[in-house]
Structures are given as structure tokens and as C-alpha cells.
Amino acid sequence: MRYLVFVLFFIGFYARVSAQDTVLVYFEFGSSKLSEESSNVLGNLSDKYDLTSVDSIQIIGFADSVGRIAANLRLSLQRAKTVEKACKFTLSEVNSIALYARGEGTLADPQQNRRVEVILYSKPFIIEAPEIVLNDADPRCFFVDFEALEYCHTRTVKKGKKETVMIEAMDVEEIRERDHYYAQKDTKGAVSVRKVRWTMEKTGMLWWKKSRWVTSIPKAAFDQFYFFTLADAPCDGCKETILTQDTLILNKTAYYADRFLTDNLQIKVRFFKQNELKIRAPRMYVDESDAYYLNWNAIAKEFSPDEIDRVNWETKLGKRKQDYYFSEVPFKGDQMGNLMRGRKTTECRNVDTGGSGRRWLGCGTRWSDVVVGFQFNLDAGAFYQIDTVTGFLALGISHTTKKGYARLMGGMNTFAGFYGSASYQYHYFSFPFQSLSPGNKWSSASETKISSVYGRLYLGAEIKTSSNTASLSFFEGNLHTGLVVVNAHEGSFFPRFYLQGGVGHDFSNGIERTVYPLAQIGCTINISAFKLRLRN
């Protein structure tokens, strides 16, 4: 008897488990063309099912009984081929895809017979070890690991009749070196704490095929508590006893960086738009029901979505492109902002974590200041005016915005006289030099450095004065246009080289002409920068 128990245990311990799911696609009478609804069903396979666990697929075509038997058999085969072609790229990693034509179906409703069945057979998997269930988790506190969730992609998939949340995570310390748990209720309402079992697997396809940590959690458990750690509380009040309470302290929506999606993006610099990137993301990693935003501060979780850029995903039809989402997003200098998305979270009110850096439950305060940056510059150049070329060297202060550049400076000219200028330039067209490179192709967002050097065409207005005894003095107003090469990197030593030309008028009447042509060339050297806090 003991040996029988051992054998049964051994069989259960290494049991091979498999399952199957069936997707139905319907057609119009006499047609093998996919409707928009059917195309959406096939396009969303990766969103609703765990295709990484699918070993083989059967695609079975049917037809109604109207017409000749041979014609209906051909029609059912054509429908199966249409479905195979529509989802061939999505299912490219599946080992085996078999097509069958069954001809006339046997269901009472003719419309139900005008269908194709896509049967997904899961790979058998081995249960290598029993789950670890903690019976003594109380009175320890649990903390939803929002920090680790930033490195995860989650989606609900069907395994047989059960809904589970499949989690793919980047190979980072937050996943690799922490013990995570989830809580599950039984039919009697009792709560048990179970350890999350991560396994390393290759998931995805094309450029997003990588080795990742993978696990699955029952959907009901994930919806309530995500996954969490057991540790000491980071602040007073940020705790609860999981086995005696079903609610968290304070539920709200906060915004977190989706580092997983960012790691799987590809980018390309645009030419015809100022400071803008094209991005594309795997469709399987974008949640169509969720809103994504772009923010340059990944720690500020309580921004207003109206104050930042929303990412508008688009699809493009054509070969292979239906599995991508595309968007156009801004960048600053050489940085693309963080992709943020809303998530239910908890917080401690008006509690400071003391700068520990661990943002478990949103403890802490935030600043909402408006900061304006200025730069101290040294400008060197020369200007042409009334058959005279005059050089200058001047110190100044400048302020740069997305579309404009304002500058005030004073110094001396090559005739040992005073030189001063106050100007504003409006940049009506800007292009990154990187966009002109043959190497400007789709590349990984996490590995590609965006060039901070770009060109700008601008229109400007300037008040300028120059005085000396050896040459003509003037007090000039001018309008000009020009081209500037800008290095937007914050630490750049030479941020601007420019060439401009226009027309001027001397208000002091030192120059006899009412309007005269002028030109100027120069460069700017950064000395230092400072910021003003305008409001708190």
C-alpha cells in the first residue's frame, strides 16, 4: 500500500498537463472573406490567450448545406486558408499548424455552419514542485510591490475555463532578488498566502523576443492585491493584516512608469516634426483599454493627465505591420520621456519616508513648482553692415523654449567700443541631424541614444547698438532670418552656431539709409546655468 501511495504521488508530482481553447470565426453566405469583426477576433488572439504556451493549432473550415457538396468542401478549405493567412504572423512561433476542410456542417443554424474553428492546443507542462503556502503570514504586513510592477507586463489569458493573469517581467533586481506572494480565497472565504513561482523563459517574437521571468496568478487574486512582499512597514499606518481585512488603506489611481513596454519599444527620429520621435510597440504589450502618457519625471505619480502628453496609438495595415502599434511622441534634448499608465494603488497621507527611496505604498509628498531655466553665455562673432565687418565678444543671459530663444548680452567690439544686443528668435522649423543619417532606422529605445544636435530655421527681431570713435556708431532695430545648429544636451560647451541675414534701421540716424541689409555669424559658449522657481 505504501508503494501504491508513493507511485500515485510520483505521478501527480510530475504530471503532464495540457489544455485546449477554441476560437470561432464566422463568414457571410458563400464568402471566404473576413469581416471586420472576424479580423479583430484574430488580431486579438495574443491579447486573450497565452500563445507562448501553444504547441499546435488546428484550423477547421465549415460551410452550410446550400449548394453542391463538392463546392461547399472547397469553400470550407478556402475559409480555413483565409484564417491561416490572417494570423500566420501572430502564430509564427507555433510548432505545428494543420488545416482541415470539413465541408457542410451539421448544426441546425446555417449561419453557425459558416465558420472556422481555431483550436489552440497548449504545450504539456510539468508541475515540478508543490506550491508554497504560508499559514503563518500574520501578523506581518504585506506591501504591494509597485516598484517591481513597473518592470512587468500583465494580461489576462484563458487556460481552459479559468482566467489567469500572465506576468512577463524584465530580468531586474526587483524581480530576481525579492520573494513575492499573492493572496487567494477559497470557496469558504478563507485567505491563503502563496509564493509566486517565477521561471525564466523566452517570450515574444522579432525584436521583442527575450529571456524574461514568467509566472501566472489567478485573476481574482491579482485584481485584488496584485503581488506583494512581506516586510516591515515603511511608515506608520501603511499596513494591514491580510488574513483579517479584505480592503487596502486608501485606493486611488496613481501613474507609474511602464518600464517593460519602454524596454520593448523601437524608435526612429522624425525629420519634418520638431523634437518628435516615431515609436512602435508590440501589439501584445499594449493594453487598448488603458491610457498611456509621456512624462519626464518617473517618480511624480500624481500629475494631471491634462498637463502632459497622451500617447495616441495607431495601427497600420499591410504585411507584418498589424502586430505593431505606432505613435509619435516628443523628446527633449536627447531624452524621450517615460511612458506612464494609471494603476490602482494605496497611499499614506502626509507621511515622509525619510528619503529611503523605496516607494512601496506611495508614502511621501510631492512638489508642484514651475521651474524656468536660464543660461549664462559668452557669444563671439562678427556682423556685416554698410560695407563694414565688425567682430564682437559679449557676455549674456538667455532662455530657450521649444519654439523660441531670447537673449540679452553686452560686451565690446573689435574697435574697443561697446556692443549690446537684445533679441528674440522664433523657430518655425527644426530637424534632428540624426534624421538625415542612413542609420536612422527602427532601433531599440533602451539601447539607442537620441542625438541632441539638430538644425533650426528661425525668424527674429533684435535691438542692437554699437559705439566707438574709429567707426560708425548706431542704435539699430532689425528683422532677420537664419539657420542655427543647436546642441541641446544640457552640458554642451558649444550649444549654438548660427548664420543669419536681414534688414535693419538705425534709430539714431547715424546711418543715412532708411533700410539696409545686414548679416551676422557667431557661436555661443555655455558658462553656467541656473533655474528660477516661480511658484510652489
Side-chain angles (χ1 to χ4, degrees):
M1 185 65 182
R2 286 184 303 170
Y3 294 106
L4 178 60
V5 172
F6 175 77
V7 170
L8 291 175
F9 175 79
F10 184 87
I11 293 173
F13 190 78
Y14 290 98
R16 297 180 65 85
V17 183
S18 61
Q20 70 181 56
D21 293 289
T22 301
V23 179
L24 300 178
V25 179
Y26 295 97
F27 292 81
E28 295 295 329
F29 173 76
S31 173
S32 61
K33 183 179 179 180
L34 285 173
S35 65
E36 182 178 354
E37 181 180 358
S38 297
S39 296
N40 291 335
V41 169
L42 296 175
N44 293 328
L45 282 178
S46 60
D47 298 335
K48 295 184 178 180
Y49 300 93
D50 178 13
L51 298 182
T52 61
S53 66
V54 173
D55 180 64
S56 61
I57 293 178
Q58 289 185 0
I59 301 178
I60 307 173
F62 294 86
D64 59 32
S65 57
V66 178
R68 295 180 298 169
I69 294 177
N72 288 333
L73 183 62
R74 288 194 298 270
L75 179 59
S76 67
L77 178 60
Q78 185 57 49
R79 286 171 173 170
K81 288 181 177 179
T82 299
V83 170
E84 181 196 28
K85 183 177 179 181
C87 58
K88 188 174 183 178
F89 177 68
T90 304
L91 306 175
S92 60
E93 298 296 316
V94 176
N95 293 329
S96 172
I97 300 178
L99 268 67
Y100 297 94
R102 293 288 175 83
E104 298 178 0
T106 58
L107 300 178
D109 184 355
Q111 177 57 44
Q112 297 297 314
N113 288 324
R114 302 169 195 142
R115 73 184 190 277
V116 168
E117 295 181 357
V118 182
I119 305 177
L120 312 174
Y121 291 96
S122 299
K123 300 174 184 176
F125 62 91
I126 300 176
I127 304 175
E128 297 180 345
E131 277 194 309
I132 299 176
V133 181
L134 304 182
N135 296 317
D136 57 347
D138 279 340
R140 299 180 69 190
C141 305
F142 77 100
F143 307 94
V144 177
D145 197 345
F146 295 111
E147 203 171 35
L149 280 166
E150 293 184 4
Y151 297 94
C152 297
H153 169 72
T154 63
R155 68 178 184 271
T156 302
V157 298
K158 293 181 179 179
K159 289 188 176 181
K161 296 182 179 180
K162 294 182 179 180
E163 283 191 326
T164 62
V165 173
M166 180 180 176
I167 306 175
E168 297 175 59
M170 297 167 59
D171 186 16
V172 293
E173 178 183 345
E174 287 80 357
I175 301 295
R176 186 173 55 247
E177 298 185 9
R178 294 179 186 173
D179 290 330
H180 292 113
Y181 304 88
Y182 67 94
Q184 189 172 25
K185 280 185 179 182
D186 61 20
T187 55
K188 296 181 180 179
V191 179
S192 59
V193 176
R194 300 168 184 265
K195 188 173 182 179
V196 176
R197 295 184 296 178
W198 296 100
T199 59
M200 181 63 74
E201 298 179 14
K202 276 198 172 182
T203 61
M205 58 188 72
L206 297 179
W207 76 81
W208 65 92
K209 185 173 183 179
K210 302 176 183 178
S211 293
R212 302 182 176 94
W213 293 104
V214 177
T215 192
S216 60
I217 295 175
K219 185 176 185 301
F222 185 83
D223 287 347
Q224 187 170 17
F225 296 118
Y226 299 119
F227 57 78
F228 50 87
T229 62
L230 298 175
D232 295 331
C235 54
D236 293 337
C238 293
K239 61 183 179 180
E240 72 167 313
T241 308
I242 191 170
L243 301 186
T244 58
Q245 293 184 352
D246 293 333
T247 58
L248 300 174
I249 303 163
L250 177 62
N251 289 337
K252 60 176 298 181
T253 298
Y255 293 86
Y256 292 84
D258 192 335
R259 303 186 191 279
F260 184 96
L261 182 57
T262 301
D263 186 62
N264 291 282
L265 287 179
Q266 285 195 324
I267 64 173
K268 183 191 291 187
V269 178
R270 299 197 68 193
F271 177 73
F272 291 106
K273 289 292 183 72
Q274 179 176 344
N275 298 346
E276 195 165 271
L277 296 172
K278 293 178 69 175
I279 64 173
R280 66 179 182 181
R283 184 172 180 172
M284 63 187 297
Y285 292 146
V286 176
D287 187 346
E288 296 179 76
S289 64
D290 207 351
Y292 292 80
Y293 301 93
L294 203 66
N295 183 38
W296 275 264
N297 184 0
I299 299 178
K301 302 187 293 298
E302 298 184 5
F303 57 78
S304 169
D306 297 332
E307 299 173 356
I308 61 170
D309 298 288
R310 178 160 181 171
V311 178
N312 298 309
W313 298 108
E314 298 178 353
T315 57
K316 292 185 179 180
L317 298 178
K319 186 178 180 181
R320 298 171 68 91
K321 291 187 177 180
Q322 61 268 26
D323 288 290
Y324 313 150
Y325 276 121
F326 294 84
S327 190
E328 296 160 0
V329 299
F331 69 92
K332 295 181 180 179
D334 58 356
Q335 292 184 339
M336 187 186 85
N338 297 289
L339 280 176
M340 314 286 285
R341 58 191 299 196
R343 181 179 288 135
K344 183 185 73 174
T345 185
T346 59
E347 72 167 9
C348 301
R349 305 181 197 183
N350 301 320
V351 179
D352 193 349
T353 58
S356 65
R358 298 183 70 82
R359 297 175 288 107
W360 293 97
L361 294 167
C363 302
T365 59
R366 71 182 180 96
W367 295 94
S368 58
D369 304 344
V370 174
V371 178
V372 180
F374 294 89
Q375 298 81 39
F376 283 119
N377 310 123
L378 176 65
D379 264 50
F383 59 87
Y384 168 83
Q385 178 195 67
I386 312 298
D387 298 326
T388 302
V389 176
T390 305
F392 65 88
L393 188 68
L395 290 171
I397 185 173
S398 62
H399 172 65
T400 304
T401 64
K402 183 177 180 180
K403 287 286 188 178
Y405 178 74
R407 178 177 61 182
L408 178 66
M409 61 181 180
M412 63 182 296
N413 56 34
T414 51
F415 301 102
F418 175 77
Y419 172 82
S421 170
S423 63
Y424 177 79
Q425 296 167 355
Y426 171 74
H427 308 124
Y428 62 88
F429 181 70
S430 180
F431 60 93
F433 280 101
Q434 186 176 359
S435 66
L436 304 177
S437 168
N440 183 34
K441 301 177 181 179
W442 288 110
S443 55
S444 169
S446 59
E447 299 175 359
T448 302
K449 183 175 179 60
I450 304 171
S451 173
S452 58
V453 180
Y454 53 93
R456 282 178 172 173
L457 300 178
Y458 60 86
L459 297 173
E462 182 180 28
I463 298 294
K464 181 164 62 177
T465 183
S466 179
S467 63
N468 57 76
T469 56
S471 183
L472 186 65
S473 299
F474 60 85
F475 181 69
E476 174 187 276
N478 69 62
L479 299 175
H480 57 267
T481 184
L483 168 67
V484 59
V485 177
V486 176
N487 188 341
H489 191 274
E490 189 172 344
S492 121
F493 185 67
F494 290 102
R496 291 169 57 87
F497 293 87
Y498 63 92
L499 174 65
Q500 65 190 41
V503 294
H505 170 73
D506 180 16
F507 294 106
S508 67
N509 297 319
I511 300 176
E512 295 180 357
R513 298 183 189 178
T514 304
V515 177
Y516 47 84
L518 52 88
Q520 184 165 311
I521 188 172
C523 69
T524 302
I525 300 173
N526 261 346
I527 298 176
S528 65
F530 68 96
K531 295 180 180 180
L532 291 182
R533 196 181 300 276
L534 299 185
R535 71 176 171 86
N536 191 341

